[in-house]
Amino acid sequence: AASYGKASIGGIFGGERDAITEGETGYLCDGNNLNDLYETLLKTLNKDHYKFLGKNALEFSKNFNWKKIIKKYIELI
């Protein structure tokens, strides 16, 4: 989603924490709690906040292109 400039909503129990910067590129919530999910959706959609999150997500995703990742691996070796 981030590489397409879209905000994300992810669960708090998995690896989503590595892909979503809370409040900057999206939000994390307890997907098993409908109230938490509902509140997170409202927060994302309020005053077109998803546009701000999406713009940040696109910039964040640029850190994860293969050229940069391979360069970091080579530096480690």
Side-chain angles (χ1 to χ4, degrees):
S3 65
Y4 287 95
K6 304 298 179 190
S8 295
I9 295 175
I12 58 174
F13 299 114
E16 293 90 331
R17 287 187 191 280
D18 296 330
I20 299 171
T21 304
E22 180 74 19
E24 293 294 321
T25 64
Y27 290 103
L28 299 166
C29 69
D30 181 352
N32 296 315
N33 180 328
L34 291 179
N35 287 328
D36 194 23
L37 182 56
Y38 179 72
E39 291 298 322
T40 303
L41 284 168
L42 287 178
K43 188 172 18 176
T44 302
L45 297 173
N46 187 31
K47 297 181 182 176
D48 294 339
H49 188 57
Y50 66 92
K51 292 178 183 177
F52 165 79
L53 297 170
K55 182 179 176 184
N56 289 341
L58 180 61
E59 288 304 311
F60 179 71
S61 74
K62 291 177 183 177
N63 294 316
F64 299 98
N65 71 47
W66 281 113
K67 287 182 181 181
K68 286 186 178 182
I69 291 171
I70 290 170
K71 184 178 179 182
K72 287 180 183 180
Y73 278 124
I74 291 172
E75 289 172 0
L76 289 173
I77 297 173

